[in-house]
Amino acid sequence: NTVELGLAIEELGISGIEVPRPIPGMAAPRAVVLERVDGRPFAAAAHDVDAEKAAAALVGITIESALTRGVFHADLRPEHLGVLDDGRLALWGCGTLGFLTPDTRRGALKYLMAVLSGDFEGQVEAMRLSGAVPPGVDVDALVADLAAAEALQPMTMLSGGQQSALAGMRQAVTLLLEHQLRPPIEVVLFVRNLFALRALLARMSPEADLLAALMPLVQRLPQLAQELDV
Protein backbone atom coordinates (compact mmCIF):
# COMPACT_ATOMS: atom_id res chain seq x y z
CA ASN A 1 0.00 0.00 0.00
CA THR A 2 2.78 2.41 0.91
CA VAL A 3 4.61 1.75 -2.35
CA GLU A 4 1.44 2.17 -4.41
CA LEU A 5 0.68 5.48 -2.71
CA GLY A 6 4.27 6.65 -3.10
CA LEU A 7 4.07 6.00 -6.83
CA ALA A 8 0.84 7.98 -7.05
CA ILE A 9 2.42 10.90 -5.17
CA GLU A 10 5.40 10.86 -7.53
CA GLU A 11 3.24 10.67 -10.66
CA LEU A 12 0.92 13.48 -9.53
CA GLY A 13 3.78 15.70 -8.37
CA ILE A 14 2.41 16.08 -4.83
CA SER A 15 4.97 17.95 -2.73
CA GLY A 16 3.31 18.57 0.63
CA ILE A 17 3.70 15.08 2.07
CA GLU A 18 6.52 12.57 2.49
CA VAL A 19 6.01 8.81 2.39
CA PRO A 20 8.76 6.63 3.88
CA ARG A 21 9.85 3.65 1.83
CA PRO A 22 9.61 0.07 3.12
CA ILE A 23 13.03 -1.40 3.90
CA PRO A 24 13.78 -4.31 1.52
CA GLY A 25 13.67 -7.68 3.24
CA MET A 26 11.77 -6.29 6.23
CA ALA A 27 8.18 -6.54 5.02
CA ALA A 28 5.72 -9.30 5.83
CA PRO A 29 1.92 -9.64 5.64
CA ARG A 30 1.49 -8.65 9.31
CA ALA A 31 4.28 -6.09 9.74
CA VAL A 32 6.58 -3.79 7.80
CA VAL A 33 9.60 -1.67 8.71
CA LEU A 34 9.76 1.74 7.02
CA GLU A 35 12.55 4.23 6.63
CA ARG A 36 12.84 6.59 9.57
CA VAL A 37 11.15 9.94 9.05
CA ASP A 38 11.68 12.39 11.89
CA GLY A 39 8.68 14.43 12.90
CA ARG A 40 6.06 15.02 15.55
CA PRO A 41 2.65 13.36 15.83
CA PHE A 42 -0.06 15.21 13.96
CA ALA A 43 -2.30 15.29 17.02
CA ALA A 44 0.31 17.34 18.89
CA ALA A 45 1.65 19.49 16.05
CA ALA A 46 -1.25 20.07 13.65
CA HIS A 47 -1.06 23.82 14.26
CA ASP A 48 2.50 23.87 12.84
CA VAL A 49 1.47 22.41 9.47
CA ASP A 50 1.54 24.52 6.31
CA ALA A 51 -2.24 24.17 5.99
CA GLU A 52 -2.50 25.15 2.31
CA LYS A 53 0.18 22.71 1.12
CA ALA A 54 -1.03 19.99 3.45
CA ALA A 55 -4.62 20.35 2.25
CA ALA A 56 -3.50 20.02 -1.38
CA ALA A 57 -1.45 16.94 -0.48
CA LEU A 58 -4.31 15.25 1.37
CA VAL A 59 -6.73 15.96 -1.49
CA GLY A 60 -4.07 14.56 -3.82
CA ILE A 61 -3.67 11.19 -2.08
CA THR A 62 -7.42 10.72 -1.70
CA ILE A 63 -9.79 12.35 -4.20
CA GLU A 64 -7.34 13.25 -6.99
CA SER A 65 -5.48 9.94 -6.93
CA ALA A 66 -8.78 8.04 -6.92
CA LEU A 67 -10.08 9.84 -10.01
CA THR A 68 -6.83 9.89 -11.97
CA ARG A 69 -5.19 6.58 -11.02
CA GLY A 70 -7.94 4.54 -9.38
CA VAL A 71 -5.83 4.22 -6.21
CA PHE A 72 -6.30 6.23 -3.01
CA HIS A 73 -5.61 6.34 0.71
CA ALA A 74 -8.85 5.09 2.20
CA ASP A 75 -8.38 5.54 5.95
CA LEU A 76 -7.07 9.00 6.78
CA ARG A 77 -6.63 9.40 10.53
CA PRO A 78 -4.49 11.70 12.69
CA GLU A 79 -2.44 8.77 13.99
CA HIS A 80 -1.33 8.02 10.41
CA LEU A 81 0.23 11.45 10.03
CA GLY A 82 3.31 13.23 11.29
CA VAL A 83 4.47 16.83 10.98
CA LEU A 84 7.97 17.58 9.64
CA ASP A 85 10.05 20.58 10.71
CA ASP A 86 9.42 22.30 7.36
CA GLY A 87 5.63 22.16 7.81
CA ARG A 88 5.03 19.25 5.45
CA LEU A 89 3.17 16.12 6.43
CA ALA A 90 4.65 12.66 6.79
CA LEU A 91 2.51 9.61 6.14
CA TRP A 92 3.32 7.14 8.89
CA GLY A 93 0.75 4.55 7.96
CA CYS A 94 -1.32 3.31 5.04
CA GLY A 95 -3.33 0.40 6.31
CA THR A 96 -6.16 0.66 3.80
CA LEU A 97 -5.82 1.49 0.12
CA GLY A 98 -8.86 1.90 -2.10
CA PHE A 99 -8.95 0.70 -5.70
CA LEU A 100 -11.54 1.90 -8.22
CA THR A 101 -12.26 -0.05 -11.39
CA PRO A 102 -12.45 1.99 -14.62
CA ASP A 103 -16.26 1.91 -14.47
CA THR A 104 -16.28 2.98 -10.83
CA ARG A 105 -13.87 5.82 -11.63
CA ARG A 106 -16.19 6.96 -14.42
CA GLY A 107 -19.14 6.70 -12.06
CA ALA A 108 -17.41 8.72 -9.33
CA LEU A 109 -16.36 11.41 -11.80
CA LYS A 110 -19.80 11.54 -13.41
CA TYR A 111 -21.42 11.76 -9.98
CA LEU A 112 -19.28 14.73 -8.88
CA MET A 113 -20.01 16.57 -12.11
CA ALA A 114 -23.73 15.79 -11.83
CA VAL A 115 -23.83 17.06 -8.23
CA LEU A 116 -22.14 20.33 -9.19
CA SER A 117 -24.48 20.87 -12.14
CA GLY A 118 -27.71 19.83 -10.40
CA ASP A 119 -28.20 16.91 -12.81
CA PHE A 120 -30.16 14.51 -10.59
CA GLU A 121 -30.78 11.95 -13.31
CA GLY A 122 -27.05 12.04 -13.97
CA GLN A 123 -26.36 11.32 -10.30
CA VAL A 124 -28.47 8.18 -10.44
CA GLU A 125 -26.90 7.12 -13.73
CA ALA A 126 -23.47 7.57 -12.13
CA MET A 127 -24.52 5.29 -9.29
CA ARG A 128 -25.73 2.75 -11.84
CA LEU A 129 -22.37 2.92 -13.61
CA SER A 130 -20.67 2.21 -10.29
CA GLY A 131 -22.85 -0.86 -9.72
CA ALA A 132 -24.84 0.68 -6.86
CA VAL A 133 -28.37 0.45 -8.30
CA PRO A 134 -29.87 -3.04 -7.82
CA PRO A 135 -32.86 -4.28 -9.83
CA GLY A 136 -36.23 -3.07 -8.60
CA VAL A 137 -35.17 0.42 -7.54
CA ASP A 138 -37.79 3.06 -8.43
CA VAL A 139 -35.41 5.34 -10.31
CA ASP A 140 -38.04 7.98 -11.03
CA ALA A 141 -38.92 8.27 -7.34
CA LEU A 142 -35.25 8.50 -6.41
CA VAL A 143 -34.61 11.27 -8.93
CA ALA A 144 -37.68 13.14 -7.66
CA ASP A 145 -36.50 12.92 -4.04
CA LEU A 146 -33.01 14.11 -4.94
CA ALA A 147 -34.41 17.03 -6.92
CA ALA A 148 -36.73 18.00 -4.05
CA ALA A 149 -33.92 18.16 -1.47
CA GLU A 150 -32.96 21.80 -0.89
CA ALA A 151 -29.58 20.76 0.51
CA LEU A 152 -28.69 19.19 -2.86
CA GLN A 153 -29.33 22.26 -5.00
CA PRO A 154 -25.99 23.42 -6.47
CA MET A 155 -26.43 27.02 -5.32
CA THR A 156 -27.18 25.86 -1.78
CA MET A 157 -24.19 23.54 -1.68
CA LEU A 158 -21.70 26.03 -3.13
CA SER A 159 -22.88 29.32 -1.66
CA GLY A 160 -22.90 28.10 1.92
CA GLY A 161 -19.28 26.99 2.02
CA GLN A 162 -17.94 23.64 3.11
CA GLN A 163 -20.61 23.07 5.73
CA SER A 164 -23.37 23.31 3.12
CA ALA A 165 -21.43 21.11 0.70
CA LEU A 166 -20.96 18.40 3.31
CA ALA A 167 -24.58 18.73 4.45
CA GLY A 168 -25.62 18.13 0.83
CA MET A 169 -23.43 15.03 0.63
CA ARG A 170 -24.95 13.69 3.85
CA GLN A 171 -28.45 14.26 2.47
CA ALA A 172 -27.54 12.51 -0.77
CA VAL A 173 -26.17 9.48 1.09
CA THR A 174 -29.30 9.33 3.24
CA LEU A 175 -31.60 9.37 0.21
CA LEU A 176 -29.56 6.81 -1.69
CA LEU A 177 -29.71 4.41 1.24
CA GLU A 178 -33.43 5.03 1.77
CA HIS A 179 -33.99 3.91 -1.82
CA GLN A 180 -32.01 0.72 -1.20
CA LEU A 181 -28.96 1.62 -3.23
CA ARG A 182 -25.89 -0.41 -2.29
CA PRO A 183 -22.68 1.40 -3.25
CA PRO A 184 -19.53 -0.74 -3.48
CA ILE A 185 -17.29 -0.46 -0.42
CA GLU A 186 -14.72 1.49 -2.47
CA VAL A 187 -17.32 4.18 -3.22
CA VAL A 188 -18.22 4.36 0.48
CA LEU A 189 -14.55 4.83 1.36
CA PHE A 190 -14.17 7.47 -1.36
CA VAL A 191 -17.10 9.52 -0.01
CA ARG A 192 -15.98 9.02 3.60
CA ASN A 193 -12.68 10.66 2.73
CA LEU A 194 -14.46 13.98 2.18
CA PHE A 195 -15.57 14.01 5.81
CA ALA A 196 -12.16 12.79 7.03
CA LEU A 197 -10.47 15.58 5.07
CA ARG A 198 -12.71 18.20 6.66
CA ALA A 199 -11.90 16.92 10.15
CA LEU A 200 -8.13 17.00 9.48
CA LEU A 201 -8.28 20.48 7.96
CA ALA A 202 -10.16 21.77 10.99
CA ARG A 203 -7.37 20.54 13.27
CA MET A 204 -4.74 22.31 11.16
CA SER A 205 -6.45 25.68 10.92
CA PRO A 206 -9.91 27.08 11.75
CA GLU A 207 -9.77 28.98 8.44
CA ALA A 208 -8.96 25.90 6.33
CA ASP A 209 -11.69 25.35 3.75
CA LEU A 210 -12.39 22.03 2.09
CA LEU A 211 -14.05 23.59 -0.96
CA ALA A 212 -11.02 25.82 -1.55
CA ALA A 213 -8.74 22.78 -1.31
CA LEU A 214 -10.90 20.87 -3.80
CA MET A 215 -11.32 23.73 -6.28
CA PRO A 216 -8.16 23.08 -8.39
CA LEU A 217 -9.36 19.50 -8.89
CA VAL A 218 -12.95 20.60 -9.57
CA GLN A 219 -11.66 22.84 -12.36
CA ARG A 220 -9.99 19.81 -13.94
CA LEU A 221 -13.10 17.61 -13.90
CA PRO A 222 -14.04 18.31 -17.56
CA GLN A 223 -10.53 17.34 -18.65
CA LEU A 224 -10.63 14.14 -16.58
CA ALA A 225 -14.07 13.36 -17.98
CA GLN A 226 -12.69 13.62 -21.50
CA GLU A 227 -9.76 11.36 -20.64
CA LEU A 228 -12.08 8.72 -19.15
CA ASP A 229 -14.65 9.15 -21.94
CA VAL A 230 -17.44 10.02 -19.49
Side-chain angles (χ1 to χ4, degrees):
N1 288 354
T2 303
V3 171
E4 285 277 3
L5 203 60
L7 292 172
I9 288 171
E10 181 178 345
E11 181 179 317
L12 295 173
I14 299 170
S15 60
I17 191 166
E18 183 171 338
V19 180
R21 296 179 177 85
I23 296 177
M26 302 188 73
R30 293 180 62 85
V32 61
V33 179
L34 304 174
E35 294 175 339
R36 180 180 177 86
V37 175
D38 290 325
R40 293 166 293 161
F42 180 86
H47 57 282
D48 291 330
V49 173
D50 185 323
E52 183 176 349
K53 291 182 179 179
L58 293 175
V59 169
I61 66 174
T62 53
I63 309 303
E64 181 179 6
S65 185
L67 295 177
T68 58
R69 300 185 78 254
V71 176
F72 62 99
H73 196 301
D75 189 22
L76 279 181
R77 287 186 277 174
E79 55 265 37
H80 290 165
L81 298 170
V83 179
L84 304 179
D85 289 340
D86 61 5
R88 291 182 302 139
L89 293 173
L91 186 66
W92 285 347
C94 183
T96 305
L97 206 64
F99 294 91
L100 301 183
T101 67
D103 277 348
T104 306
R105 285 172 62 196
R106 293 187 185 95
L109 181 56
K110 184 178 180 67
Y111 182 79
L112 289 176
M113 296 179 67
V115 167
L116 293 171
S117 64
D119 179 2
F120 300 104
E121 292 183 356
Q123 292 175 33
V124 177
E125 179 56 31
M127 288 291 99
R128 191 194 304 278
L129 187 60
S130 299
V133 183
V137 170
D138 188 337
V139 171
D140 291 338
L142 174 56
V143 170
D145 283 350
L146 291 171
E150 178 60 30
L152 287 174
Q153 303 306 314
M155 288 301 296
T156 301
M157 295 184 69
L158 297 177
S159 64
Q162 61 186 359
Q163 295 300 334
S164 293
L166 291 176
M169 292 301 297
R170 291 190 188 94
Q171 181 66 42
V173 170
T174 298
L175 289 173
L176 294 175
L177 294 179
E178 285 180 356
H179 284 267
Q180 306 302 313
L181 267 67
R182 295 292 180 266
I185 185 60
E186 291 82 3
V187 173
V188 175
L189 294 174
F190 176 78
V191 173
R192 189 181 69 172
N193 267 339
L194 292 171
F195 298 96
L197 283 170
R198 173 64 193 110
L200 290 173
L201 293 181
R203 298 187 69 163
M204 290 188 287
S205 170
E207 291 77 32
D209 187 273
L210 178 59
L211 282 182
L214 290 171
M215 195 52 62
L217 179 59
V218 169
Q219 294 170 345
R220 291 175 52 207
L221 290 182
Q223 174 191 345
L224 294 176
Q226 186 175 12
E227 292 174 0
L228 286 175
D229 192 26
V230 173

